[in-house]
Amino acid sequence: MSKIQLVIIGGFLGSGKTTSILNIANYLIGQGKKVGVVTNDQGTDLVDTNFLKLKGLTAVEVTDGCFCCNFDEFLDRIEKLSKLNMPDVILAEPVGSCTDLIATIYKPLKAKKVQSIEIKPFSVIADPKRLKKLILDKSSNFHAEINYLFKKQLEEADIIALNKIDLLSKEEKEDLIQFIKGNFKNAELLAISARENINIKQWIEMIFTKESAENTLDIDYEIYGQAEAHLGWLNLTAAVDSTVKIDINKVISEISDKLRKEFYKVNGEIAHFKLLAVSGIDWAKASISDISQQLSFDKMAQEKKF
Ligand SMILES: Nc1nc2c(ncn2[C@@H]2O[C@H](COP(=O)(O)OP(=O)(O)OP(=O)(O)O)[C@@H](O)[C@H]2O)c(=O)[nH]1
Ligand SMILES: [Mg+2]
Protein backbone atom coordinates (compact mmCIF):
# COMPACT_ATOMS: atom_id res chain seq x y z
CA MET A 1 0.00 0.00 0.00
CA SER A 2 1.42 3.40 -0.91
CA LYS A 3 2.04 5.87 1.89
CA ILE A 4 0.01 8.99 2.56
CA GLN A 5 2.18 12.04 1.96
CA LEU A 6 1.75 14.47 4.83
CA VAL A 7 2.45 18.12 4.04
CA ILE A 8 2.43 20.62 6.91
CA ILE A 9 2.02 24.30 6.06
CA GLY A 10 2.73 26.54 9.05
CA GLY A 11 3.15 30.26 9.57
CA PHE A 12 1.82 33.09 11.69
CA LEU A 13 -1.87 33.99 11.89
CA GLY A 14 -3.21 35.39 8.65
CA SER A 15 -0.06 34.66 6.65
CA GLY A 16 -1.98 32.69 4.01
CA LYS A 17 -1.91 29.04 5.12
CA THR A 18 -5.52 28.22 4.22
CA THR A 19 -5.33 30.11 0.91
CA SER A 20 -2.16 28.17 0.06
CA ILE A 21 -3.66 24.85 1.06
CA LEU A 22 -6.68 25.49 -1.16
CA ASN A 23 -4.40 26.37 -4.05
CA ILE A 24 -2.05 23.40 -3.53
CA ALA A 25 -5.02 21.03 -3.11
CA ASN A 26 -6.61 22.20 -6.34
CA TYR A 27 -3.32 21.76 -8.18
CA LEU A 28 -2.85 18.22 -6.83
CA ILE A 29 -6.47 17.29 -7.57
CA GLY A 30 -5.84 18.53 -11.12
CA GLN A 31 -2.96 16.03 -11.24
CA GLY A 32 -5.36 13.23 -10.33
CA LYS A 33 -4.41 13.01 -6.64
CA LYS A 34 -6.85 12.53 -3.80
CA VAL A 35 -6.39 15.19 -1.15
CA GLY A 36 -7.56 15.59 2.44
CA VAL A 37 -7.04 18.56 4.75
CA VAL A 38 -6.59 18.82 8.52
CA THR A 39 -7.29 22.29 9.89
CA ASN A 40 -6.48 23.48 13.36
CA ASP A 41 -7.47 26.47 15.46
CA GLN A 42 -8.66 27.42 18.90
CA GLY A 43 -12.43 26.84 19.18
CA THR A 44 -14.70 24.57 17.19
CA ASP A 45 -16.68 24.82 13.94
CA LEU A 46 -13.76 26.65 12.38
CA VAL A 47 -13.99 29.24 9.62
CA ASP A 48 -11.14 27.53 7.73
CA THR A 49 -12.78 24.08 7.81
CA ASN A 50 -16.11 25.44 6.63
CA PHE A 51 -14.43 27.54 3.95
CA LEU A 52 -12.47 24.58 2.56
CA LYS A 53 -15.57 22.39 2.62
CA LEU A 54 -17.57 25.06 0.79
CA LYS A 55 -14.76 24.99 -1.78
CA GLY A 56 -15.37 21.27 -2.22
CA LEU A 57 -12.47 19.78 -0.23
CA THR A 58 -12.58 17.01 2.35
CA ALA A 59 -11.52 18.63 5.61
CA VAL A 60 -11.46 17.57 9.26
CA GLU A 61 -10.35 19.66 12.21
CA VAL A 62 -8.31 19.44 15.39
CA THR A 63 -9.90 22.01 17.68
CA ASP A 64 -9.17 23.74 20.98
CA GLY A 65 -5.38 23.62 20.78
CA CYS A 66 -2.54 23.01 18.39
CA PHE A 67 -1.52 19.68 16.82
CA CYS A 68 1.67 19.92 18.77
CA CYS A 69 -0.18 19.51 22.09
CA ASN A 70 -2.71 17.09 20.59
CA PHE A 71 -0.50 14.65 18.74
CA ASP A 72 -2.81 11.68 19.28
CA GLU A 73 -5.80 13.66 18.11
CA PHE A 74 -3.83 14.69 15.03
CA LEU A 75 -3.09 11.04 14.24
CA ASP A 76 -6.72 10.24 14.83
CA ARG A 77 -7.79 12.86 12.24
CA ILE A 78 -5.33 11.48 9.72
CA GLU A 79 -6.88 8.06 10.26
CA LYS A 80 -10.36 9.56 9.90
CA LEU A 81 -9.37 11.17 6.60
CA SER A 82 -7.87 7.90 5.42
CA LYS A 83 -11.21 6.21 6.02
CA LEU A 84 -13.18 9.06 4.43
CA ASN A 85 -11.43 9.34 1.08
CA MET A 86 -8.16 7.38 1.10
CA PRO A 87 -6.08 10.45 0.26
CA ASP A 88 -2.73 10.35 -1.50
CA VAL A 89 -1.82 13.64 0.16
CA ILE A 90 -2.91 15.21 3.43
CA LEU A 91 -2.36 18.94 3.80
CA ALA A 92 -2.27 20.06 7.43
CA GLU A 93 -2.50 23.58 8.83
CA PRO A 94 -1.36 24.12 12.42
CA VAL A 95 -2.62 27.04 14.52
CA GLY A 96 -0.88 30.28 13.49
CA SER A 97 0.54 30.82 16.98
CA CYS A 98 2.21 27.42 16.97
CA THR A 99 5.89 26.57 16.64
CA ASP A 100 8.33 23.76 17.51
CA LEU A 101 6.52 21.37 15.17
CA ILE A 102 9.67 19.44 14.28
CA ALA A 103 10.00 18.33 17.91
CA THR A 104 6.30 17.78 18.48
CA ILE A 105 5.11 16.29 15.17
CA TYR A 106 7.99 15.31 12.88
CA LYS A 107 10.14 13.51 15.45
CA PRO A 108 7.26 11.68 17.24
CA LEU A 109 5.92 10.50 13.88
CA LYS A 110 9.31 9.03 13.06
CA ALA A 111 9.78 7.63 16.58
CA LYS A 112 6.38 5.93 16.44
CA LYS A 113 7.36 4.51 13.05
CA VAL A 114 3.95 5.29 11.57
CA GLN A 115 4.40 3.22 8.41
CA SER A 116 1.44 4.62 6.53
CA ILE A 117 2.71 8.23 6.53
CA GLU A 118 5.59 9.88 4.73
CA ILE A 119 6.14 13.38 6.09
CA LYS A 120 7.30 16.03 3.62
CA PRO A 121 9.41 19.16 4.27
CA PHE A 122 7.94 21.76 6.57
CA SER A 123 6.86 25.00 4.89
CA VAL A 124 6.39 28.19 6.87
CA ILE A 125 4.60 31.11 5.27
CA ALA A 126 5.56 34.70 6.02
CA ASP A 127 3.30 37.67 5.44
CA PRO A 128 5.66 40.37 4.09
CA LYS A 129 3.99 43.34 5.75
CA ARG A 130 4.00 41.58 9.10
CA LEU A 131 7.61 40.52 8.68
CA LYS A 132 8.52 44.13 7.97
CA LYS A 133 6.47 45.54 10.82
CA LEU A 134 7.58 42.99 13.41
CA ILE A 135 11.20 42.38 12.60
CA LEU A 136 12.51 45.11 10.34
CA ASP A 137 10.71 48.30 11.37
CA LYS A 138 9.80 47.08 14.86
CA SER A 139 6.67 49.20 14.47
CA SER A 140 4.11 46.61 15.56
CA ASN A 141 1.82 47.02 18.54
CA PHE A 142 2.42 43.38 19.37
CA HIS A 143 4.42 42.45 22.47
CA ALA A 144 8.09 41.51 22.02
CA GLU A 145 7.31 37.86 22.83
CA ILE A 146 5.18 37.64 19.71
CA ASN A 147 8.12 38.85 17.66
CA TYR A 148 10.13 36.03 19.28
CA LEU A 149 7.49 33.46 18.32
CA PHE A 150 7.35 34.80 14.75
CA LYS A 151 11.13 34.43 14.39
CA LYS A 152 11.11 30.93 15.86
CA GLN A 153 8.45 29.86 13.37
CA LEU A 154 10.73 30.89 10.52
CA GLU A 155 13.83 29.32 12.10
CA GLU A 156 12.48 25.77 11.92
CA ALA A 157 11.24 25.98 8.34
CA ASP A 158 12.59 23.78 5.57
CA ILE A 159 10.93 26.10 3.10
CA ILE A 160 10.01 29.73 3.76
CA ALA A 161 7.26 30.94 1.45
CA LEU A 162 7.31 34.73 1.36
CA ASN A 163 3.65 35.23 0.48
CA LYS A 164 1.48 38.08 -0.84
CA ILE A 165 4.18 39.35 -3.18
CA ASP A 166 1.37 40.75 -5.31
CA LEU A 167 1.15 43.51 -2.67
CA LEU A 168 4.85 44.42 -2.86
CA SER A 169 6.92 46.70 -5.05
CA LYS A 170 9.98 45.15 -6.68
CA GLU A 171 12.26 46.90 -4.16
CA GLU A 172 10.21 45.82 -1.15
CA LYS A 173 10.27 42.23 -2.38
CA GLU A 174 14.04 42.28 -2.96
CA ASP A 175 14.72 43.79 0.50
CA LEU A 176 12.67 41.09 2.20
CA ILE A 177 14.26 38.30 0.17
CA GLN A 178 17.73 39.53 1.16
CA PHE A 179 16.65 39.81 4.78
CA ILE A 180 15.27 36.27 4.90
CA LYS A 181 18.30 34.84 3.09
CA GLY A 182 20.63 36.55 5.56
CA ASN A 183 18.74 35.59 8.70
CA PHE A 184 17.15 32.20 8.09
CA LYS A 185 19.92 30.30 6.40
CA ASN A 186 18.50 26.81 7.05
CA ALA A 187 15.57 27.29 4.73
CA GLU A 188 14.96 27.32 1.01
CA LEU A 189 13.16 30.52 0.06
CA LEU A 190 10.36 31.04 -2.42
CA ALA A 191 8.52 34.28 -3.10
CA ILE A 192 4.89 33.42 -3.83
CA SER A 193 1.38 34.71 -4.04
CA ALA A 194 -1.11 32.13 -2.84
CA ARG A 195 -3.97 34.26 -3.97
CA GLU A 196 -2.61 35.15 -7.40
CA ASN A 197 -1.11 31.71 -7.97
CA ILE A 198 2.50 32.89 -8.38
CA ASN A 199 5.22 30.23 -7.94
CA ILE A 200 2.82 27.69 -6.42
CA LYS A 201 3.90 24.99 -8.85
CA GLN A 202 7.57 25.56 -7.95
CA TRP A 203 6.65 25.37 -4.27
CA ILE A 204 4.81 22.06 -4.76
CA GLU A 205 7.78 20.65 -6.67
CA MET A 206 10.06 21.67 -3.82
CA ILE A 207 7.79 20.03 -1.24
CA PHE A 208 7.64 16.74 -3.10
CA THR A 209 11.28 16.49 -4.14
CA LYS A 210 13.10 17.53 -0.96
CA GLU A 211 13.49 15.98 2.47
CA SER A 212 12.99 17.74 5.77
CA ALA A 213 16.25 18.77 7.44
CA GLU A 214 14.36 18.65 10.75
CA ASN A 215 15.76 21.91 12.06
CA THR A 216 15.20 21.41 15.79
CA LEU A 217 14.52 24.67 17.57
CA ASP A 218 16.34 26.07 20.50
CA ILE A 219 13.29 27.63 22.12
CA ASP A 220 12.44 29.15 25.48
CA TYR A 221 8.99 27.77 26.33
CA GLU A 222 8.39 30.50 28.89
CA ILE A 223 8.63 33.24 26.25
CA TYR A 224 6.68 31.11 23.78
CA GLY A 225 3.95 30.66 26.41
CA GLN A 226 3.88 34.40 27.07
CA ALA A 227 3.52 35.09 23.35
CA GLU A 228 0.54 32.75 23.15
CA ALA A 229 -0.94 34.31 26.27
CA HIS A 230 -0.75 37.79 24.73
CA LEU A 231 -2.85 36.63 21.80
CA GLY A 232 -6.55 36.78 22.57
CA TRP A 233 -8.99 34.47 20.80
CA LEU A 234 -12.64 35.02 20.14
CA ASN A 235 -14.86 32.60 18.27
CA LEU A 236 -18.43 33.60 17.65
CA THR A 237 -21.32 32.15 15.70
CA ALA A 238 -24.48 34.17 15.20
CA ALA A 239 -27.73 33.38 13.46
CA VAL A 240 -29.72 36.16 11.84
CA ASP A 241 -33.41 35.77 11.12
CA SER A 242 -35.00 38.36 8.91
CA THR A 243 -38.18 38.81 6.95
CA VAL A 244 -36.37 41.08 4.47
CA LYS A 245 -33.41 40.03 2.34
CA ILE A 246 -29.98 40.89 3.75
CA ASP A 247 -26.84 41.74 1.78
CA ILE A 248 -24.28 39.52 3.54
CA ASN A 249 -21.30 41.29 1.93
CA LYS A 250 -22.50 44.49 3.56
CA VAL A 251 -22.99 42.77 6.92
CA ILE A 252 -19.38 41.53 6.81
CA SER A 253 -18.06 44.98 5.87
CA GLU A 254 -20.00 46.78 8.59
CA ILE A 255 -19.00 44.36 11.36
CA SER A 256 -15.36 44.52 10.25
CA ASP A 257 -15.28 48.33 10.09
CA LYS A 258 -16.71 48.63 13.57
CA LEU A 259 -14.27 46.10 14.96
CA ARG A 260 -11.27 47.78 13.35
CA LYS A 261 -12.32 51.16 14.76
CA GLU A 262 -12.55 49.71 18.26
CA PHE A 263 -9.07 48.21 17.94
CA TYR A 264 -7.67 51.56 16.81
CA LYS A 265 -9.19 53.24 19.86
CA VAL A 266 -7.28 50.95 22.24
CA ASN A 267 -4.08 50.94 20.17
CA GLY A 268 -4.56 47.25 19.59
CA GLU A 269 -3.37 44.97 16.83
CA ILE A 270 -5.30 42.41 14.81
CA ALA A 271 -3.50 39.14 14.18
CA HIS A 272 -6.28 37.75 12.00
CA PHE A 273 -9.97 38.51 11.90
CA LYS A 274 -11.94 36.22 9.61
CA LEU A 275 -15.62 36.11 9.00
CA LEU A 276 -17.66 33.57 7.07
CA ALA A 277 -21.28 34.42 6.33
CA VAL A 278 -23.61 31.81 4.91
CA SER A 279 -27.12 32.54 3.68
CA GLY A 280 -29.67 30.11 2.28
CA ILE A 281 -28.40 30.55 -1.25
CA ASP A 282 -24.84 31.85 -1.12
CA TRP A 283 -21.85 32.60 1.08
CA ALA A 284 -19.05 35.11 1.59
CA LYS A 285 -15.72 35.17 3.45
CA ALA A 286 -13.43 38.03 4.31
CA SER A 287 -10.38 38.77 6.48
CA ILE A 288 -8.37 41.49 8.09
CA SER A 289 -4.84 40.24 8.65
CA ASP A 290 -3.34 43.39 10.17
CA ILE A 291 -4.96 46.48 11.66
CA SER A 292 -3.44 48.68 8.97
CA GLN A 293 -4.86 46.50 6.18
CA GLN A 294 -8.25 46.89 4.58
CA LEU A 295 -10.84 44.14 4.77
CA SER A 296 -10.20 41.71 1.96
CA PHE A 297 -12.84 39.35 0.55
CA ASP A 298 -11.82 35.80 -0.34
CA LYS A 299 -15.28 35.37 -1.77
CA MET A 300 -18.17 37.78 -2.09
CA ALA A 301 -21.77 36.68 -2.23
CA GLN A 302 -23.24 37.27 -5.64
CA GLU A 303 -26.54 38.49 -4.27
CA LYS A 304 -27.75 41.78 -5.65
CA LYS A 305 -28.03 44.77 -3.36
CA PHE A 306 -31.55 45.25 -2.05
N1 LIG B 1 -3.05 39.90 -1.54
C1 LIG B 1 -2.93 38.67 -1.12
N2 LIG B 1 -3.68 38.23 -0.09
C2 LIG B 1 -3.51 36.97 0.31
C3 LIG B 1 -2.57 36.09 -0.27
N3 LIG B 1 -2.63 34.91 0.38
C4 LIG B 1 -3.58 35.05 1.32
N4 LIG B 1 -4.11 36.29 1.29
C5 LIG B 1 -5.18 36.83 2.13
O1 LIG B 1 -4.73 36.90 3.47
C6 LIG B 1 -5.82 36.63 4.36
C7 LIG B 1 -5.44 35.51 5.31
O2 LIG B 1 -5.28 34.33 4.54
P1 LIG B 1 -5.52 32.88 5.18
O3 LIG B 1 -5.17 31.91 4.11
O4 LIG B 1 -6.85 32.78 5.79
O5 LIG B 1 -4.41 32.90 6.31
P2 LIG B 1 -4.09 31.78 7.41
O6 LIG B 1 -2.62 31.75 7.57
O7 LIG B 1 -4.75 30.51 7.04
O8 LIG B 1 -4.78 32.41 8.70
P3 LIG B 1 -5.09 31.68 10.12
O9 LIG B 1 -5.66 30.33 9.82
O10 LIG B 1 -6.08 32.53 10.81
O11 LIG B 1 -3.80 31.63 10.85
C8 LIG B 1 -7.03 36.29 3.47
O12 LIG B 1 -7.82 37.44 3.30
C9 LIG B 1 -6.38 35.91 2.15
O13 LIG B 1 -7.21 36.15 1.04
C10 LIG B 1 -1.78 36.57 -1.36
O14 LIG B 1 -0.95 35.90 -1.94
N5 LIG B 1 -2.00 37.88 -1.72
MG1 LIG C 1 -6.10 29.37 8.15
Side-chain angles (χ1 to χ4, degrees), residues 91-157:
L91 301 166
E93 172 179 346
V95 178
S97 60
C98 183
T99 192
D100 209 19
L101 283 141
I102 299 294
T104 55
I105 298 289
Y106 278 69
K107 300 224 157 140
L109 261 182
K110 291 227 165 125
K112 276 197 161 203
K113 297 199 172 60
V114 183
Q115 299 291 342
S116 54
I117 299 171
E118 181 188 327
I119 193 158
K120 307 309 288 179
F122 180 36
S123 296
V124 178
I125 306 181
D127 176 309
K129 305 260 176 196
R130 180 140 275 150
L131 178 68
K132 199 158 178 290
K133 225 169 144 179
L134 264 173
I135 301 187
L136 291 177
D137 300 347
K138 303 206 175 358
S139 61
S140 171
N141 284 337
F142 278 139
H143 293 80
E145 292 85 356
I146 294 174
N147 195 6
Y148 176 84
L149 165 64
F150 188 84
K151 277 191 198 151
K152 289 291 160 190
Q153 288 183 322
L154 294 174
E155 268 177 35
E156 69 170 342

Side-chain angles (χ1 to χ4, degrees), residues 17-18 41 48 93 274:
K17 298 179 290 298
T18 306
D41 246 325
D48 288 354
E93 172 179 346
K274 44 191 175 184

Side-chain angles (χ1 to χ4, degrees), residues 2 12 33 53 178 189 205 212 214 251 255-256 258 263 267 302-303:
S2 62
F12 195 70
K33 303 259 187 223
K53 282 183 179 168
Q178 290 317 321
L189 171 64
E205 271 164 21
S212 174
E214 300 193 358
V251 172
I255 293 175
S256 308
K258 282 193 180 139
F263 269 77
N267 224 8
Q302 302 302 313
E303 293 159 316

Side-chain angles (χ1 to χ4, degrees), residues 30-63:
Q31 303 282 303
K33 303 259 187 223
K34 277 201 209 157
V35 177
V37 184
V38 184
T39 57
N40 182 208
D41 246 325
Q42 309 287 357
T44 52
D45 199 16
L46 307 175
V47 166
D48 288 354
T49 323
N50 284 304
F51 172 62
L52 293 169
K53 282 183 179 168
L54 283 162
K55 286 285 190 178
L57 296 180
T58 307
V60 296
E61 55 192 24
V62 173
T63 55

